[in-house]
Amino acid sequence: MINADTIAAPITPLVTSPVITLRISGSDALKVYSLMEKGGKSINISDIKSNYVSLYRFNIKKENLHDDVLAVFFKAPHSFTGEDVVEISFHGNPVLVNAALSAIYSLNIRPAEGGEFSKRAFLNGKIDLTQAESIQELIYAKSIEGINSAYNQLQGSLKYELDSIKNRLLKMKAVMEAKIDFPDEDTVDEELPVLKQDCENILSVTGCLISSYKSYRNANRGLEIVIAGKPNVGKSSLMNAFLKEERAIVSDTPGTTRDFIKESLYIGGIPVHLTDTAGIRLSDENIEQIGIGKSRQKIETADIVLLLLDVSIPLTEEDYNILEDTKNSNRIIIGNKLDITDNKSYDKADIYISAKTGINIDELLEILREKTSLYDNEIKSNAAAITERHHNILINIKEIIEKINLSLGIYPIDMLCIDLERAINLLSEITGDNYTEKVLDIVFSSFCIGK
Ligand SMILES: Nc1nc2c(c(=O)[nH]1)N(C=O)[C@@H](CNc1ccc(C(=O)N[C@@H](CCC(=O)O)C(=O)O)cc1)CN2
Ligand SMILES: Nc1nc2c(ncn2[C@@H]2O[C@H](COP(=O)(O)OP(=O)(O)OP(=O)(O)O)[C@@H](O)[C@H]2O)c(=O)[nH]1
Ligand SMILES: [Mg+2]
């Protein structure tokens, strides 16, 4: 265990609330009992049993303030951080708790930095880096699936998967090293297909983990859905129909929407960020052109494009241009204004609706639900790459293994061994088996105080 300062911070928001809890972690944590009494008597530290909650009176001498608190002691190494930990719950008055914190700081205990408790849990071997990151993900997850997936990583499923890849790489390395040490033995040709098979297996697992990132991200942070189409086809009307309120301005003047409008809703349990864009057309007007430029950008980065056509009138070149521009997007082609036409001007749409009267809006939502549930199902598999850090390192590993796979039998085995070593080190970087201060900074700097 590392020998470090004793630190303290609120682990609940420091705002007016029923209860505010402080956490103190480190070898001097028990000192805080000197600020408390029970039944009018000061507390003998040797009487404190770990893992038992007890009621005390907390005294802040300087301000002559008192509070009845619940406190619990976790004895090292059996605590969240692996150090001695005391948690104290006060009545939720921030002024009171700030005064209590000052009293605690006067005991040679200092304020904890953001993420410092989790960092200590990592440094003391309580959790690996993927588990530390999953705590952050768990807190911010925006869907049931996202929470589930983050919890799975907290339980160690990603760590487990990465460890198993690492073990396979280490075995491959042993085989290759034997080859280098005993080059005369003619087992090369026997080993080659086995090594290749190992590469294939590892590539398949890393491929799954890499694609799990996008699904996880979508389930957790949400899908970007963009409503696109030329002016006046009814994009803002469709936005309003989804939201069931008059959110976006609707008018029969083409070019009404200038800037994009974004709202979030849930479709089939997945958070969806819906954007209404400025209608795309050739325009000499500066402000409208800026809006149109933004629309094009939004379309390019969207997870799903809802391409709207006004099928009550003949399509124009502008419609055909947008159809062409979005042909590689994950799109739904929607024929709008079904209420005022019997004679649709386009017969290849995925669905026909009326944004104005609500015809087939539920059916459109059903199509969207099917599309979003695809993402939903993908993250049911347990291990997932949940941060951009995991994702980028895994891509790196996959490239290295691909290279090794192609080079086996062609390049000298000692060269491939060096690549293999790099892949193994990268895996250790994800879990934190090998870490640098820089990696720890990347992981823990986004954590809030108290985590
Ligand atoms: N009050 C409180 N609630 C909390 C936390 C906390 O730290 N304090 N947590 C923090 O984020 C989460 C729970 N996570 C925790 C994980 C491990 C240990 C812990 O003490 N582990 C010891 C003992 C295990 C045992 O008794 O079975 C250990 O691993 O050795 C505590 C909380 C959510 N709720
Ligand atoms: N009859 C009928 N009219 C509709 C329908 N949807 C939209 N409209 C009308 O079409 C006109 C344009 O609608 P908007 O929703 O503002 O169209 P938009 O695509 O957002 O237009 P811009 O913002 O200019 O790009 C308005 O007069 C709407 O009332 C529909 O399903 N049926
Ligand atoms: Mg509009």
Side-chain angles (χ1 to χ4, degrees), residues 134-155:
S134 69
I135 295 177
Q136 187 79 337
E137 291 298 317
L138 180 57
I139 296 172
Y140 289 103
K142 294 276 184 299
S143 73
I144 301 288
E145 279 306 324
I147 295 170
N148 236 323
S149 190
Y151 184 69
N152 278 330
Q153 313 326 309
L154 181 59
Q155 297 291 295

Side-chain angles (χ1 to χ4, degrees), residues 210-225:
I210 289 166
S211 68
S212 70
Y213 174 68
K214 190 151 197 285
S215 313
Y216 172 79
R217 224 60 203 159
N218 288 330
N220 210 351
R221 301 286 154 96
L223 286 173
E224 296 292 334
I225 300 188

Side-chain angles (χ1 to χ4, degrees), residues 250-262:
V250 167
S251 96
D252 56 8
T253 313
T256 298
T257 307
R258 297 296 184 93
D259 211 343
F260 55 84
I261 297 167
K262 193 167 177 177

Side-chain angles (χ1 to χ4, degrees), residues 11 21 23 51 74 77-80 87 126 135 451:
I11 56 172
T21 303
R23 169 156 58 196
N51 296 56
F74 301 93
H78 304 295
S79 70
F80 175 68
E87 287 185 8
K126 286 279 152 188
I135 295 177
K451 263 297 30 129

